[in-house]
């Protein structure tokens, strides 16, 4: 006898906010394409339950100088373009980047200490070379981050960049810069749902509209805390769907940065033979980290190896197919 | 509601200094201040005091009982110190605390029988504190049998389900309230229940802590709480206790506190239509209930959202 089983679904009170990165000429910027993320009304990819109006996107991460500490696997792949940020950006777009994540590492006081003005010029050069939206990270030294990102924000007003990182102890300057120049702030909390929500509240209290705040829950790589990130993201998404207005920000995850810090991807010598081919392993490490984060609800993945990007984008195709 | 005054605690610098200098006057002032404010029991927390406990506990007990005859709670993990204190204690006394950890159980339970004391019992084992109410109840069932067998009357056993902080263990807070409810159903007559109240707001901004403590107290009262280790100088807390205990509904906020207690007692949600959303005090209470019941994710600025 045929049995009809009704698929159990949740009726959610809330949904994730939609955020658009990049502004076209008509919108006051110069982008030829923009990216809209968020809007999910269900836990990830439960198409029978709710909408996932926008697919997760992949930003490829590039530096303004040749990276000093990247895995040889990455450096071999990219080759000479790492010495020319404009060429690197173009190549990344050719290889499928939906957006470029530009880290202004050269501005770090312990690297090249590049000035805020020169750093802003680098960002302008990249904007001129590619049409996709940009995510711009400071060098990773709080005071310099502030100086550099303020200069970048002003020089690129209206482009609707995402600027980061706003952290619990250093968010005001960057959030204010975003406010004045029409940019989006990336709010990062240390794998902590309560701090993430608090940071969102603090930034929105300053007056930055909620459709201009992305949240970065801090990524742990496969084998290095990925499961903690996963459960934090799950909790944030559940809260968002339950109607908590301060957790409804789309999530951005730095999968590449974390995955390529792991010994398994970074190091090829002095590791057990059973670990197999180094290159394959590194790409797999980034791929598995990124796809797990997509399953946890990531909206934007910042990645490094184009072969991993290709696999992840294919996975996204399958996940969004109904 | 039995209020056990928490202010004589070794972590407070003033208390530490008074103990180190054997400053009897300072301890007596702190004890009297709490009694006057409405404490029924004074907790004497001297820390683990491995070396000095057997001198400090009798000293602090004698110091306190020179100025007050309220019940004293001897609060340390050092059983020799507890016994030394009980030997000199003239009035009613309480041991804080035993647990299901073998060492602590074996050391404290016989003292409670021998010296005829009240006994606070933490529902934790060597493995820690179970997150869910049922896990804590399971420990309480086992302990109730064994402690009764050892000769402590049920009505002198105070089960403490252990209060975790809303700032870092948000989902465990409501489990504590549910544990109280289950503890009260374990036997007839039921054992008593106690919480270390202020811990619920540990880590929260100071300006929010009294509100969180007070709302949590009312929720615990709804579940059947008998006693709380708390700050008797927190006037609004004691007023909330009185309000609920006497069912004082003379103001809208008091009415809301009584409604909250009733909702928890009836295992119902607090009906939002009973909250005047135009009254900031009522809204703050309602938001705090939602935080404590894990309905809304905690953030330090939760009241501003």
């Amino acid at each position: 006898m045929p049995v009809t089983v009704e698929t159990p679904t949740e009726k959610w009170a809330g949904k994730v906010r939609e955020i658009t990165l990049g502004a076209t000429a008509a919108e006051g910027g110069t982008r030829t394409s923009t990216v809209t993320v968020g809007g999910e009304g269900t836990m990830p990819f439960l198409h029978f339950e709710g909408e996932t109006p926008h697919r997760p996107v992949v930003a490829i991460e590039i530096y303004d100088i040749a990276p000093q500490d990247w895995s040889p696997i990455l450096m071999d792949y990219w080759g000479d373009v790492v010495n020319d940020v404009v060429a690197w950006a173009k190549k990344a777009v050719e290889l499928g980047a939906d957006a470029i994540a530009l880290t202004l590492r050269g501005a770090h006081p312990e690297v090249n200490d590049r000035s805020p003005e020169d750093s802003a010029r680098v960002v302008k050069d990249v904007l001129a070379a590619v049409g996709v939206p940009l995510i711009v990270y400071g060098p990773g030294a709080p005071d310099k981050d502030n100086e550099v990102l303020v200069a970048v924000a002003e020089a690129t007003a209206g482009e609707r960049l995402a600027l980061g990182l706003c952290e619990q102890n250093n968010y005001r300057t960057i959030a204010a810069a975003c406010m004045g120049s029409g940019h989006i702030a990336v709010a990062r909390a240390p794998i902590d749902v309560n701090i993430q929500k608090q940071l969102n509240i603090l930034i929105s209290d300053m007056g930055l509209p909620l459709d201009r705040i992305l949240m970065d829950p801090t990524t742990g790589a496969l084998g290095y805390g990925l499961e903690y990130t996963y459960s934090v993201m799950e909790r944030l998404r559940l809260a968002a769907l339950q109607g908590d207005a301060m957790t409804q920000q789309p999530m951005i995850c730095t999968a590449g940065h974390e995955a390529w810090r792991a010994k398994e991807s970074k190091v090829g010598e002095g590791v057990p033979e059973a670990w197999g081919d180094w290159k394959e392993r590194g790409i797999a490490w980034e791929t598995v980290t990124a796809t797990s984060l997509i399953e946890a609800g990531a909206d934007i993945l910042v990645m490094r190896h184009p072969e991993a990007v290709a696999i992840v984008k294919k996975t996204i195709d399958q996940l969004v197919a109904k | 509601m039995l209020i056990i005054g928490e202010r004589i605690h070794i972590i407070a610098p003033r208390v530490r200094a008074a103990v180190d200098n054997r400053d009897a006057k300072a301890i007596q002032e702190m004890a009297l201040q709490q009694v006057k404010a409405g404490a029924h029991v004074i907790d004497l927390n001297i820390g683990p005091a491995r070396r000095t406990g057997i001198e400090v506990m009798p000293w602090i007990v004698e110091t306190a009982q020179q100025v007050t005859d309220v019940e004293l709670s001897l609060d340390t993990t050092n059983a020799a110190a507890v016994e030394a204190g009980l030997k000199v204690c003239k009035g009613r006394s309480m041991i804080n605390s035993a647990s299901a950890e073998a060492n602590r159980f074996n050391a404290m339970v016989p003292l409670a029988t021998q010296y005829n004391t009240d006994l606070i019992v933490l529902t934790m084992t060597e493995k820690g504190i179970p997150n869910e109410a049922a896990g804590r109840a399971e420990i309480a069932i086992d302990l109730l049998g064994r402690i009764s067998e050892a000769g402590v009357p049920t009505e002198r056993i105070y089960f403490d389900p252990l209060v975790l902080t809303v700032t870092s263990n948000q989902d465990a807070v409501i489990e504590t309230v549910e544990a109280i409810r289950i503890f009260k159903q374990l036997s007839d007559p039921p054992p008593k229940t106690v919480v270390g109240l202020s811990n619920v707001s540990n880590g929260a901004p100071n300006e929010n802590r009294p509100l969180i403590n007070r709302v949590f107290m009312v929720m615990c009262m709804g579940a059947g709480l008998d006693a709380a280790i708390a700050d008797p100088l927190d006037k609004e807390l004691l007023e909330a206790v009185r309000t609920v205990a006497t069912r004082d509904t003379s103001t809208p906020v008091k009415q809301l506190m009584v409604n909250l207690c009733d909702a928890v007692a009836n295992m119902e949600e607090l009906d939002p239509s009973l909250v005047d959303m135009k009254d900031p005090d009522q809204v703050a209470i309602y938001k705090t209930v939602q935080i404590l019941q894990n309905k809304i994710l905690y953030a330090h600025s939760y009241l501003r959202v």
Side-chain angles (χ1 to χ4, degrees), chain B:
Chain B
M1 177 64 51
L2 190 80
I3 299 290
I4 303 168
E6 70 181 4
R7 295 181 69 88
I8 301 181
H9 194 295
I10 200 70
I11 285 181
R14 264 182 74 207
V15 176
R16 168 102 263 167
V19 167
D20 287 350
N21 304 325
R22 299 290 190 273
D23 181 352
K25 201 157 164 279
I27 296 293
Q28 288 169 343
E29 270 170 22
M30 285 184 258
L32 272 183
Q33 197 184 24
Q34 295 185 84
V35 172
K36 276 186 196 148
H40 308 105
V41 180
I42 299 300
D43 192 60
L44 302 171
N45 179 299
I46 62 162
R50 278 186 207 88
R51 281 181 304 111
T52 57
I54 51 168
E55 296 151 31
V56 169
M57 191 57 96
W59 172 78
I60 204 166
V61 165
E62 285 184 324
T63 301
Q65 70 190 5
Q66 277 166 17
V67 292
T68 177
D69 52 12
V70 301
E71 179 169 3
L72 299 177
S73 159
L74 282 59
D75 186 356
T76 174
T77 47
N78 180 340
V82 169
E83 178 153 31
L86 290 173
K87 276 184 180 156
V88 301
C89 187
K90 295 184 194 129
R92 191 172 167 117
S93 56
M94 177 179 272
I95 296 175
N96 186 4
S97 56
S99 75
E101 296 159 290
N103 285 345
R104 234 158 141 177
F105 184 94
N106 294 334
M108 299 295 184
V109 176
L111 291 177
T113 322
Q114 189 185 340
Y115 291 91
N116 199 24
T117 76
D118 292 318
L119 178 64
I120 293 179
V121 188
L122 315 179
T123 53
M124 65 180 290
T125 68
E126 281 87 354
K127 288 184 211 146
I129 308 164
N131 216 30
E132 288 173 9
R136 299 185 217 179
E138 209 172 294
I139 297 170
I141 292 169
D142 166 58
L143 284 170
L144 184 60
R146 292 197 286 140
I147 296 171
S148 301
E149 215 164 278
V152 182
T154 308
E155 61 274 17
R156 299 201 71 175
I157 301 171
Y158 286 79
F159 279 119
D160 180 347
L162 289 145
V163 175
L164 300 176
T165 68
V166 71
T167 55
S168 58
N169 283 88
Q170 193 182 351
D171 53 343
V173 172
I174 196 65
E175 296 296 327
T176 299
V177 177
E178 290 312 308
I180 293 167
R181 191 195 307 279
I182 303 175
F183 294 169
K184 293 305 290 181
Q185 295 163 356
L186 289 183
S187 62
D188 188 13
K192 295 218 165 69
T193 51
V194 63
V195 293
L197 187 73
S198 314
N199 201 43
V200 74
S201 62
N202 213 343
N206 282 337
E207 67 268 24
N208 292 349
R209 293 195 63 182
L211 173 67
I212 297 173
N213 294 345
R214 186 156 80 235
V215 172
F216 183 60
M217 178 69 129
V218 171
M219 289 167 59
C220 290
M221 287 174 80
L225 187 71
D226 298 286
I229 304 168
D231 182 4
L233 302 194
D234 181 344
K235 284 191 184 139
E236 287 186 278
L237 173 68
L238 265 61
E239 179 58 19
V241 170
R242 191 200 61 76
T243 297
V244 170
T246 63
R247 300 192 64 81
D248 174 357
T249 55
S250 58
T251 70
V253 165
K254 287 176 178 170
Q255 174 76 61
L256 179 57
M257 288 298 210
V258 172
N259 289 342
L260 170 61
C261 179
D262 289 350
V264 174
N266 298 329
M267 300 180 78
E268 289 165 1
E269 303 269 312
L270 176 62
D271 183 351
S273 70
L274 297 175
V275 185
D276 178 358
M277 296 297 177
K278 290 189 199 101
D279 177 353
D281 291 339
Q282 292 189 54
V283 172
I285 291 167
Y286 184 64
K287 284 179 176 171
T288 305
V289 172
Q290 290 200 298
I291 290 292
L292 292 172
Q293 291 183 335
N294 202 25
K295 304 243 186 266
I296 296 281
L297 193 60
Y298 176 83
H300 290 328
S301 299
Y302 75 92
L303 287 175
R304 283 157 69 184
V305 180

Side-chain angles (χ1 to χ4, degrees), chain A residues 58-62 70-79 88 92 95-97 255-257 259-260 265 278-287 290 301-313:
Chain A
V58 177
I60 292 184
E61 184 179 16
I62 64 174
W70 280 24
S71 168
I73 300 289
L74 288 168
M75 298 305 277
D76 285 352
Y77 183 92
W78 288 110
W88 195 356
L95 291 168
H257 174 79
W260 288 99
S265 53
W278 180 18
K279 182 183 157 206
E280 199 181 326
R281 186 172 70 236
I283 291 167
W285 219 262
E286 183 175 19
T287 304
L301 290 143
V302 180
M303 298 184 61
R304 286 187 176 171
H305 200 296
E307 287 182 34
V309 170
I311 303 170
V312 166
K313 289 191 79 159

